Amino acid sequence: MPTIVPAILENTKEGFLDKISRVIMLSGVERIQVDFGDGIFIPNKILPITEIDNLNPAFHWEAHLMLKEPKEFLDYQICGFKTLLVHYEAFESLDNLQSALESIRSLGMKCGVVINPTTKVEVLKEFVGLADQFLIMSVNPGFQGQAFLEETFSRVKELRMLLPNAIIEVDGGVSLSNIRELSHAGADLLVVGSALLKAPNILEAYQQLQKEIES
Ligand code: DX5
């Protein structure tokens, strides 16, 4: 059964702590994604890791690094992140990306490769055995609340055919209107930002999303 992964994208420490407190109250949440952006790889400069301290170890924290050529991974590990997700498009070469994945694993964390909507799904074949999960962006990275790109359904199906045993994650514009079809297409992890955090009642929104993926 697919897992809903609430996503926190915040530029201020107080906003970050407020969103964390709202998300960890949702019973059933086991995995939470925190977005990071450097204002270079994406236009948005998001709260840096230096502003975040020890995360609640009861959850599996994953960091979505929308950063150009990320190298410093120790800070995330110290903070309590268990998985780091890096962008295929953020590296000058495959070697740089592969060594980033190796250094993440050498710190005892899991790693994932993220592809933007215009990057071919097949590039992910290169990372079988090197990455623990694969994230298909269903919006162009950088901001919450963007519209879901419909071609994502076929991209998820394509990746599931290509890598039958992979852990496939989808991120961006996931909501009640597409979460069921994404699950049926083969997604394992469904990242949800504004459909939860901008909902009038976050608990109700979470329960409705959960019901959709169980159907
Ligand atoms: C976008 C981020 C997403 C975002 C999801 O750049 O990578 O994780 O927080 O938010 P929604 O679900 O509102 O698109």
Side-chain angles (χ1 to χ4, degrees), residues 7 9 33 35 64 66 137 141-145 171-173 191-194:
L9 191 159
Q33 183 186 99
D35 287 311
H64 177 195
M66 295 176 276
M137 289 303 294
F143 301 91
Q144 290 203 336
D171 181 359
V191 178
V192 181
S194 38

Side-chain angles (χ1 to χ4, degrees), residues 5-9 33-36 42 44 46 64 66 87 114 135 137-148 170-175 191-198:
V5 183
I8 296 173
L9 191 159
Q33 183 186 99
V34 177
D35 287 311
F36 292 90
I42 58 165
N44 195 356
I46 303 172
H64 177 195
M66 295 176 276
H87 268 263
V114 188
L135 195 158
M137 289 303 294
S138 32
V139 296
N140 285 305
F143 301 91
Q144 290 203 336
Q146 298 180 80
F148 177 81
V170 176
D171 181 359
V174 177
S175 69
V191 178
V192 181
S194 38
L196 280 174
L197 288 155
K198 293 211 170 55

